[in-house]
Amino acid sequence: MQFGIFTVGDVTTDPTTGHTPSEHERIKATVAIARKAEEVGLDVMAFGQHHNPPFVATSPTTTMAYVAAQTERLLLSTSTTLITTTDPVRIAEDYAQLQHLAEGRVDLMLGRGNTGPVYPWFGKDIRDGIELAVENYALLHQLWRKDVVNWQGKHRTPLQGFTATPRPLDDVPPFVWHGSIRSPEIAEQAAYYGDGFFSNHIFWPASHTAQMVRLYRRRFEHYGHGKAHQAIVGLGGQAFISKNSQDAVKQFRPYFDNAPVYGHGPSLEEFMAGTPLSVGSPQQIIEKTLSFREYAGDYQRQLWLMDHAGLPLKTVLEQLDLLGEEVVPVLRKEFAALRPADVPDAPTHASLVAGKVAAQEGVAAPSTRTPVADTVTGRSPVAQESHA
């Protein structure tokens, strides 16, 4: 199981000091956080993509390439790559290039984003959000797997005899997670392709997340990729850790109360009770994270949001020390003890390459069925599936 953090790159005033970091400070802090994540033994860091203030995460591949050059083991992912408003040709080229530079330490999470005004800025209509997600990924999937692509869809100009370069490292595309909070169509899409499904359930109750994950698992099995319990699931979360719970709540409360995304709404205590937000001692964080398995089943990736709401860099780095030293080692042991032997590990470039080699040699391996959308229209049956 992989453990890590994700960032959305927000520039937020620290409510306890009134200090607002500059864009330069925030960008450099993100790199420092990534280095610390590797130092404390985390597996993954995911980088956001936003094109509006107060965010500075407009070019995740630039940041990820810079981080790749300064780390050796950390897997670099996204949170999320905007499949709706970023051209799939651009995604295919940028992430293949990054895959080579990072020696395969790359995967990506695709998402629609939650900022409505972004769509017209890139010539798109938010009312087409699901259509864009389905069609653009059908094209991206082909661009990474076919040397020559002919394409005609609804939302971009046609392609004739097009080859995306560079080709994926070892001819194995980066693993893809489809991220969603509320859209069953995206869970269906992930299941159809046999990709991962990432439920970033930081604002939603466990009952909703359980419903989305169950849908994905059921459809994953339906499409012949394996048993439902073998589907590849990731979960988001938020944590603030202190040696004792009283100090954690006291220290985090002003950040929660003034956070742009959830401040001035339900109380911290209400939010902790109803969502995955975990504020407390290391043991409390461990217990709450283990409880996710009760409604999501055995899953492969756990990411926490740790650097938001104006928390200063010094505090974030201290949080990562606690996470890496006192929380994650226990979770690794506990989750491993509970995990059935036939539940797969989180995919990595090395495991995907090994699976490809095994398939070529005729060795028994997990299903690698790759559904192919219509090569003329680019449409997949995903949008037509029932989501009841």
Side-chain angles (χ1 to χ4, degrees):
M1 186 166 171
Q2 295 171 342
F3 297 92
I5 56 175
F6 70 97
T7 180
V8 295
D10 60 307
V11 179
T12 305
T13 300
D14 183 337
T16 68
T17 65
H19 174 68
T20 303
S22 68
E23 291 180 332
H24 178 76
E25 288 175 316
R26 188 66 176 94
I27 290 168
K28 298 297 282 187
T30 301
V31 176
I33 290 166
R35 288 198 297 260
K36 172 62 80 169
E38 176 165 274
E39 176 189 320
V40 301
L42 300 183
D43 304 307
V44 186
M45 181 164 176
F47 300 80
Q49 180 185 352
H50 290 274
H51 296 277
N52 57 294
F55 301 96
V56 292
T58 56
S59 181
T61 52
T62 303
T63 306
M64 292 162 74
Y66 188 79
V67 170
Q70 300 188 44
T71 55
E72 297 179 355
R73 184 188 53 78
L74 190 68
L75 180 60
L76 309 175
S77 189
T78 58
S79 56
T80 60
T81 298
L82 299 179
I83 187 64
T84 47
T85 53
T86 308
D87 187 82
V89 172
R90 187 79 258 180
I91 294 174
E93 295 176 339
D94 284 353
Y95 284 91
Q97 182 97 3
L98 177 60
Q99 191 190 32
H100 283 272
L101 291 172
E103 298 291 350
R105 290 187 290 127
V106 174
D107 64 29
L108 65 162
M109 185 199 312
L110 301 178
R112 291 187 294 137
N114 59 7
T115 308
V118 170
Y119 283 77
W121 295 345
F122 291 90
K124 306 299 180 183
D125 188 327
I126 193 171
R127 291 171 294 185
D128 297 328
I130 293 293
E131 276 191 19
L132 285 163
V134 171
E135 180 178 295
N136 284 354
Y137 183 60
L139 174 54
L140 175 61
H141 194 270
Q142 287 195 36
L143 290 169
W144 274 337
R145 289 166 175 81
K146 293 186 175 183
D147 290 338
V148 180
V149 171
N150 296 308
W151 173 270
Q152 183 175 338
K154 178 180 176 181
H155 295 286
R156 77 172 319 281
T157 53
L159 296 175
Q160 296 293 332
F162 180 78
T163 299
T165 59
R167 304 306 297 153
L169 179 64
D170 300 316
D171 202 29
V172 172
F175 185 75
V176 170
W177 302 81
H178 299 262
S180 181
I181 296 176
R182 64 186 182 275
S183 303
E185 296 91 342
I186 302 305
E188 178 76 31
Q189 182 184 40
Y192 175 72
Y193 286 100
D195 295 337
F197 177 64
F198 191 93
S199 181
N200 189 13
H201 61 332
I202 58 176
F203 302 124
W204 290 75
S207 58
H208 174 79
T209 302
Q211 182 179 13
M212 291 286 285
V213 172
R214 280 197 302 268
L215 169 64
Y216 163 66
R217 289 188 183 279
R218 186 173 70 249
R219 301 301 286 171
F220 180 94
E221 181 170 330
H222 168 80
Y223 287 118
H225 300 296
K227 298 295 185 182
H229 71 280
Q230 296 172 319
I232 308 299
V233 174
L235 297 179
Q238 295 171 275
F240 189 88
I241 316 165
S242 187
K243 290 293 185 180
N244 64 72
S245 59
Q246 294 86 354
D247 286 345
V249 169
K250 179 180 179 181
Q251 292 167 20
F252 187 64
R253 188 180 300 280
Y255 296 97
F256 176 88
D257 288 346
N258 292 278
V261 290
Y262 46 50
H264 313 291
S267 70
L268 174 58
E269 287 74 14
E270 290 171 325
F271 215 83
M272 289 168 58
T275 76
L277 176 62
S278 308
V279 181
S281 66
Q283 184 59 37
Q284 288 173 310
I285 307 304
I286 290 166
E287 291 173 0
K288 184 153 189 176
T289 306
L290 286 171
S291 75
F292 299 166
R293 182 179 178 273
E294 296 172 6
Y295 56 85
D298 291 289
Y299 63 110
Q300 283 76 12
R301 176 175 287 185
Q302 173 65 54
L303 302 183
W304 290 275
L305 178 62
M306 305 288 288
D307 69 331
H308 62 120
L311 287 163
L313 176 59
K314 180 176 181 294
T315 300
V316 174
L317 298 181
E318 292 169 350
Q319 290 290 299
L320 293 179
D321 280 329
L322 289 168
L323 183 68
E325 294 170 6
E326 300 194 31
V327 174
V328 167
V330 178
L331 288 175
R332 285 195 197 280
K333 181 179 178 181
E334 294 292 332
F335 275 116
L338 295 167
R339 191 184 200 85
D342 65 340
V343 172
D345 294 336
T348 64
H349 183 71
S351 70
L352 295 174
V353 170
K356 178 183 176 182
V357 171
Q360 290 172 340
E361 295 177 350
V363 178
S367 172
T368 56
R369 174 178 176 269
T370 302
V372 178
D374 187 305
T375 57
V376 176
T377 66
R379 297 190 183 98
S380 80
V382 173
Q384 303 171 21
E385 293 293 338
S386 169
H387 306 299

